[in-house]
Amino acid sequence: MSELDLTALAVLAAAAGDPAGYARRWKAENNRPVVGSFPMNFPSELVHATGALPVIVQESRTPITEGRSLLPEFYCSYTRSVADQAAVGELDVFDAFLLADHCVQLLGAADVIRWAKPEKPMHFAQFISSMDDPWSGAQVLDKVRALQAEVEEIVGVTVTPERLSHSIRLFNEDRRLLREFWDRRRAGTLRITSRQLQVLVKSSMVMDIEEHSEILRGLLANLDPDEAAPAGLVRLHLSGHFCAPPRPELLDLIEECGVLVVNDDLYHGARYIDTDVPEGVDPFDALALWYLDRNISAPCGTRVQRNVDWDEYLVSSVEQSGAQGVIVLMAKFCEPLMLYYPELRKALENRDVPVLLIETEHEGLAEEAVRTRVETFVERIHRNEMKVGSSVS
Amino acid sequence: MSLDLATAPTEPLDKSNRLASTRAGGKMVAEYWDNIFTAKERGKHVVWYNGTALNPIFQAAGLEWCHGEAFSARLAAMHLEGPAQAAGEEYGYIGELCSYARTHLGCAVMTQKGITEKQSGIVGMVDQDELASKLPSPDFFVNAYAGCSTGQQWDAMTYRVFGKEFPIFNVSLPMIWGNKPDAGYLRGAEWETTPLYVEEQLKKLIEFIEYQTKRPFDWDALSENMSYIKRASELRLEAMALCAAAPTPATYWDWVASIAPINFMPANQALVDYFQGVKDEIQYRIANSISAVQNEKYRVYFDGIMNWNKLGFLTRKFAEHDVAVVAGRYTHDSFWQEPDLIDINRPLLGMAQHYLICPINHGLKIMEELLIKRCDEYGIDGIAFHSTRTCRAMTNPQHILAKTAERDRGIKSFFFEGDVADASFYKDESLESGLVAMLETIDQQRSRRA
Ligand code: SF4
Ligand code: SF4
């Protein structure tokens, strides 16, 4: 087992904790635009190919104030936070915004940005969300081209196939490096907390990709041997939580309850890095293919596809990692997750995989109540294992 | 259990005067659903669909069609939504999920149990007497939901509740985002091109239906259906325009009662006659100085999906305060509202265009344009925003629309809490206090102007 170089990790944590601050510094040093985009399927490579800094706008930890009078309280924490950030000026560093995902709540937040910052371009190239129709591929390619035109206009640079291919290689490399951490966690050869993994992936969404990869390479090179993970921990898979990361305190809390997280399909986790953009084909086509591929490698409740099921993916992922249970983390009011949750639960329960649902909110964490639920869940898994063990012996 | 009289909303005085002609619509709709329930016995193909009004296509194809939102709304309006919502909850749907969706998904769970009962011979899994359990099982699904991502995901889940046994066809309706300088309501390059993409998908939908029904599609029947819809729509709009008169001869609540006919009733002469009857009654009222609200003092616009559990209650409630709710986004900017777009020689294009001008499918700029237009047309004094708890699509621009109305026209507004099909979210005190405060402000504005 190995541990991480905490100093290098702190650099990533600083960027992940203050994306706007990082973007301001980058802009001052590079004198080029910063373009904000939104989860969960935006191809950052396209912005990178212009020389601008692509940043996926993150949920802010600051309390929601002015945003309260702009989006209703029954919106997910990410969209309420984005609306608030627009209103209080936290998004001022961005020169433009680009959006490809159709989520009704996200569009509400995007409209707030348009209203609060009318001078900033805010383009929506709606990627089709029905993934397996005969026209899906052509539609996505059309929208990739539309995004290309928009970003070229914003930055004033033409995206040549060569530039785009170069950006694709860099982002693929960064994803590959990130996946090494996930692979090592699954294999049990790296002791890394979920909080740390979140830092790794979140920082990749907001940092210059080459700088990010360089730090990852350093981290991987300097992994020290360490003792094995304590015995008796319950192996769990964390699922869900679209668009915004769950609070790190929640991840800590889960792990404090005798849990070893062995895998996840969180957006600020494996979902974000699972799929590479194909190389060796036309790079614009490749971005369209990447979008379609993503829902196959990690199916998502925000997309619809007849021949792909998130529940089946989850079950097989659990089987592969040997997870003994699943915690579904749901940002409160996230409709696609609310819709898909019963299917996840049904599939897991049919395979006797225990499942626990935890809803999260921007405003905080009911720590003791959640701790009790996780502890009870862990005990339940222990009891089940003992029953299975005794009936086998 | 005793009722807490201190907190229970008291029944308002009835100063409203609803149109009598809309009762014919209620009868049409009741007969329609009764007929649907027997579709299987009659050997009909049944399609379940959500979202936009694809029914003229289904009708031309000889199908029987079950509209998801319409059935949820019906259950809620009849206060019979409980069993479906309970079935949905048991299946795992959380109470904050779109209540149209979870009511309908609950119906799907009940229908699916009915199928299992038939196949297994085990009875008692579902109460066959419940209205919510009476939907015939689908032969296939069609989804075409504008503006709201939940709409498409909801059908993807219905498809899974039935174990992916029945095929599904998705029509993807892009949002009219309206970001370019030339963009606006029914104008700009985005508007010119997007319907063509949808029209092509509708052609594919028809091929899919032909495959499912093993029958060639009747294009003449579609044109005929659209000619009835066009005429019914013209009459509806003419009748609505008459309500610019003050006092108004009919209110938003009458238009709510007329949603089902225009949204999913068969396209035929009876539909045209219905709207002719509504228009005639309104003309009669104008000629005889009959108003829809006794002592109309304020003219209000309603924004938000209807709160179906409270239709009668809200009608009386607003009237009690001398408020005529004369127009609304849900009624006036939906449901074949641009009949000039319908060309019976090329019906699919006009249909595609209508699907795209669903009032939740526009970006903010177009919504603002439409709101101001309606406020001017109907002489609006104030806006009631129904903060429809589980419908994010209707609520997402509301706060900004309120600011726009105030900024551009000095029009005041208030928000009240409720929901489309879940009565538990309705907060009478938020309506009462918000409405009273808004009316006081309007009074002050008027006295300042006087
Ligand atoms: S997918 Fe969920 S978390 Fe993301 S914006 Fe939509 S509602 Fe919010
Ligand atoms: S949230 Fe509103 S618009 Fe969306 S599916 Fe539900 S009722 Fe329809």
Side-chain angles (χ1 to χ4, degrees):
Chain A
M1 292 288 279
S2 301
E3 276 186 352
L4 288 177
D5 170 358
L6 294 180
T7 318
L9 192 68
V11 177
L12 303 185
D18 180 16
Y22 178 87
R24 270 191 295 273
R25 280 191 299 283
W26 185 93
K27 205 168 172 177
E29 283 163 20
N30 295 278
N31 199 25
R32 276 180 279 155
V34 175
V35 176
S37 67
F38 300 90
M40 291 190 284
N41 291 288
F42 186 82
S44 294
E45 291 85 343
L46 205 48
V47 173
H48 183 268
T50 63
L53 177 69
V55 175
I56 299 176
V57 175
Q58 301 291 318
E59 180 171 342
S60 163
R61 292 294 300 262
T62 50
I64 291 167
T65 52
E66 290 186 34
R68 280 179 195 280
S69 67
L70 294 167
L71 269 192
E73 57 172 10
F74 42 81
Y75 270 50
C76 73
S77 54
Y78 175 68
T79 51
R80 288 171 59 234
S81 168
V82 169
D84 189 63
Q85 291 178 62
V88 300
E90 273 190 49
L91 301 181
D92 287 356
V93 66
F94 294 101
D95 296 287
F97 300 94
L98 295 170
L99 172 66
D101 277 60
H102 178 208
C103 170
V104 64
Q105 299 186 38
L106 187 55
L107 293 186
D111 263 342
V112 171
I113 298 177
R114 286 208 285 188
W115 177 81
K117 302 281 161 209
E119 70 288 358
K120 309 238 173 181
M122 157 61 85
H123 292 292
F124 179 33
Q126 184 177 349
F127 285 9
I128 189 170
S129 47
S130 178
M131 310 297 272
D132 55 348
D133 292 320
W135 49 89
S136 302
Q139 195 274 353
V140 183
L141 182 57
D142 191 46
K143 295 299 166 190
V144 167
R145 290 293 187 177
L147 276 179
Q148 179 198 354
E150 300 297 353
V151 78
E152 286 177 346
E153 195 183 319
I154 291 163
V155 188
V157 170
T158 304
V159 181
T160 62
E162 294 71 33
R163 292 180 75 113
L164 183 55
S165 297
H166 176 67
S167 299
I168 287 172
R169 275 194 298 281
L170 293 177
F171 277 79
N172 278 348
E173 170 64 2
D174 197 70
R175 280 186 281 261
R176 188 192 64 71
L177 291 166
L178 284 167
R179 283 199 297 269
E180 275 203 37
F181 293 89
W182 264 259
D183 291 347
R184 290 186 188 211
R185 173 175 72 167
R186 258 191 304 267
T189 57
L190 172 65
R191 265 184 75 190
I192 187 162
T193 62
S194 296
R195 175 193 278 264
Q196 290 171 329
L197 279 177
Q198 186 184 96
V199 165
L200 298 186
V201 76
K202 186 177 173 191
S203 54
S204 81
M205 297 175 176
V206 300
M207 282 178 75
D208 176 89
I209 206 71
E210 288 179 86
E211 185 189 355
H212 190 260
S213 295
E214 200 47 47
I215 296 175
L216 290 186
R217 274 189 283 272
L219 281 171
L220 285 165
N222 291 312
L223 290 176
D224 290 329
D226 197 353
E227 78 278 12
L233 298 180
V234 163
R235 297 165 63 84
L236 291 186
H237 178 111
L238 300 184
S239 182
H241 226 276
F242 298 150
C243 297
R247 289 175 163 257
E249 306 90 277
L250 172 60
L251 301 174
D252 294 345
L253 185 156
I254 290 170
E255 286 171 338
E256 284 160 17
C257 295
V259 166
L260 183 69
V261 176
V262 289
N263 202 7
D264 69 75
D265 59 78
L266 307 174
Y267 174 64
H268 281 74
R271 182 179 296 285
Y272 183 69
I273 57 170
D274 256 354
T275 317
D276 282 338
V277 180
E279 294 183 46
V281 293
D282 172 85
F284 296 97
D285 287 354
L287 292 183
L289 286 170
W290 169 76
Y291 171 69
L292 298 172
D293 287 349
R294 288 192 82 214
N295 201 52
I296 297 168
S297 26
C300 179
T302 64
R303 312 289 102 184
V304 305
Q305 187 161 355
R306 280 157 281 233
N307 55 357
V308 162
D309 302 286
W310 182 12
D311 42 339
E312 288 308 313
Y313 155 86
L314 186 53
V315 165
S316 77
S317 183
V318 162
E319 280 167 3
Q320 279 165 26
S321 68
Q324 295 157 284
V326 173
I327 296 184
V328 176
L329 299 172
M330 182 190 290
K332 194 167 181 192
F333 306 119
C334 174
E335 298 249 49
L337 196 36
M338 285 193 276
L339 275 165
Y340 226 120
Y341 171 67
E343 299 304 318
L344 302 183
R345 187 178 79 169
K346 188 167 69 178
L348 292 166
E349 288 182 350
N350 283 346
R351 266 83 158 193
D352 293 325
V353 178
V355 54
L356 174 69
L357 173 68
I358 298 177
E359 282 187 289
T360 67
E361 292 184 71
H362 181 83
E363 281 69 22
L365 175 67
E367 213 170 293
E368 282 321 303
V370 175
R371 188 182 299 279
T372 306
R373 292 183 64 215
V374 177
E375 283 172 352
T376 311
F377 183 62
V378 167
E379 271 169 36
R380 185 177 131 209
I381 293 175
H382 275 309
R383 268 201 311 277
N384 285 356
E385 300 284 321
M386 279 161 56
K387 264 192 241 153
V388 174
S390 58
S391 64
V392 170
S393 54
Chain B
M1 200 174 81
S2 66
L3 184 66
D4 181 352
L5 292 174
T7 56
T10 43
E11 202 47 43
L13 276 175
D14 196 1
K15 292 166 80 179
S16 68
N17 181 16
R18 295 267 301 269
L19 293 178
S21 49
T22 58
R23 281 187 216 128
K27 191 162 166 282
M28 271 162 79
V29 174
E31 285 169 3
Y32 166 84
W33 284 113
D34 283 344
N35 189 49
I36 287 284
F37 300 149
T38 63
K40 289 283 151 157
E41 287 97 86
R42 289 180 287 111
K44 295 296 236 178
H45 270 85
V46 174
V47 54
W48 282 27
Y49 73 118
N50 281 336
T52 48
L54 292 163
N55 48 297
I57 294 178
F58 300 147
Q59 185 181 346
L63 298 163
E64 306 252 333
W65 56 96
C66 299
H67 189 249
E69 297 96 312
F71 196 60
S72 296
R74 180 160 183 79
L75 289 173
M78 296 172 82
H79 306 288
L80 294 174
E81 73 282 16
Q85 290 178 2
E89 191 182 338
E90 195 191 328
Y91 193 77
Y93 298 113
I94 293 172
E96 293 290 351
L97 178 62
C98 160
S99 57
Y100 264 170
R102 76 187 137 85
T103 306
H104 184 246
L105 281 158
C107 294
V109 169
M110 294 168 93
T111 305
Q112 169 60 16
K113 281 188 178 160
I115 298 175
T116 312
E117 266 189 12
K118 272 198 197 111
Q119 286 169 350
S120 66
I122 305 168
V123 290
M125 294 171 81
V126 60
D127 184 348
Q128 300 294 347
D129 291 335
E130 289 294 351
L131 184 61
S133 72
K134 290 197 186 301
L135 285 180
S137 63
D139 290 287
F140 56 90
F141 305 95
V142 178
N143 182 271
Y145 220 103
C148 181
S149 45
T150 301
Q152 190 181 59
Q153 292 153 6
W154 155 15
D155 263 353
M157 293 304 115
T158 317
Y159 172 63
R160 283 169 171 76
V161 166
F162 284 100
K164 305 213 290 191
E165 289 283 313
F166 311 111
I168 182 164
F169 188 96
N170 287 304
V171 179
S172 291
L173 301 174
M175 183 100 179
I176 301 294
W177 185 239
N179 213 39
K180 298 286 179 192
D182 70 344
Y185 184 61
L186 305 186
R187 60 183 190 276
E190 185 181 15
W191 169 249
E192 296 302 324
T193 54
T194 315
L196 302 175
Y197 166 63
V198 175
E199 186 188 24
E200 287 309 305
Q201 291 181 62
L202 294 178
K203 289 178 191 162
K204 297 285 176 209
L205 167 63
I206 287 170
E207 286 173 21
F208 168 82
I209 292 173
E210 286 181 321
Y211 179 78
Q212 296 300 326
T213 57
K214 313 270 181 297
R215 278 196 303 270
F217 185 71
D218 188 341
W219 288 93
D220 291 338
L222 179 63
S223 290
E224 190 184 340
N225 294 344
M226 288 314 293
S227 71
Y228 286 122
I229 297 240
K230 187 178 170 99
R231 185 66 200 125
S233 168
E234 286 164 351
L235 288 165
R236 189 175 80 113
L237 294 191
E238 286 159 18
M240 281 175 160
L242 293 171
C243 299
T248 186
T251 60
Y252 171 80
W253 316 110
D254 295 306
W255 302 119
V256 167
S258 300
I259 285 176
I262 195 69
N263 191 32
F264 65 93
M265 284 296 101
N268 53 27
Q269 188 56 44
L271 183 70
V272 173
D273 292 347
Y274 171 80
F275 283 103
Q276 184 67 59
V278 170
K279 186 183 165 193
D280 289 348
E281 187 179 0
I282 289 175
Q283 275 173 325
Y284 174 83
R285 282 187 171 199
I286 289 176
N288 293 281
S289 304
I290 300 168
S291 62
V293 170
Q294 273 175 41
N295 190 31
E296 173 186 306
K297 209 170 149 201
Y298 312 95
R299 294 169 70 83
V300 163
Y301 179 90
F302 190 97
D303 189 279
I305 291 203
M306 189 51 211
N307 185 322
W308 289 105
N309 309 95
K310 297 278 171 205
L311 176 55
F313 179 83
L314 291 177
T315 307
R316 293 185 291 278
K317 182 93 180 173
F318 279 88
E320 183 198 354
H321 289 277
D322 302 329
V323 172
V325 183
V326 283
R329 174 151 60 114
Y330 191 44
T331 46
H332 287 58
D333 287 312
S334 314
F335 312 118
W336 308 114
Q337 71 274 35
E338 297 289 347
D340 289 348
L341 294 175
I342 298 172
D343 174 357
I344 57 170
N345 296 313
R346 190 181 173 181
L348 293 183
L349 180 63
M351 297 171 85
Q353 289 170 320
H354 272 97
Y355 301 157
L356 293 168
I357 54 170
C358 167
I360 53 173
N361 200 47
H362 310 291
L364 184 62
K365 199 170 118 185
I366 298 175
M367 299 254 207
E368 290 175 319
E369 179 186 334
L370 287 171
L371 175 69
I372 295 300
K373 182 170 160 243
R374 295 288 173 228
C375 287
D376 291 348
E377 277 172 2
Y378 289 96
I380 296 297
D381 303 308
I383 304 173
F385 283 99
H386 177 210
S387 188
T388 320
R389 174 83 181 198
T390 68
C391 180
R392 279 86 193 177
M394 265 283 173
T395 48
N396 70 20
Q398 284 184 327
H399 286 284
I400 298 178
L401 289 177
K403 292 179 202 299
T404 304
E406 169 96 53
R407 182 197 65 202
D408 292 0
R409 293 290 186 273
I411 294 175
K412 302 291 174 194
S413 56
F414 76 101
F415 284 71
F416 73 98
E417 294 170 54
D419 193 34
V420 51
D422 187 335
S424 69
F425 288 119
Y426 176 71
K427 301 272 184 308
D428 194 54
E429 64 282 5
S430 78
L431 173 55
E432 182 71 29
S433 61
L435 179 59
V436 168
M438 183 182 77
L439 300 181
E440 280 173 7
T441 317
I442 294 170
D443 287 342
Q444 286 161 10
Q445 270 178 337
R446 286 176 176 171
S447 59
R448 270 200 303 273
R449 271 187 222 132

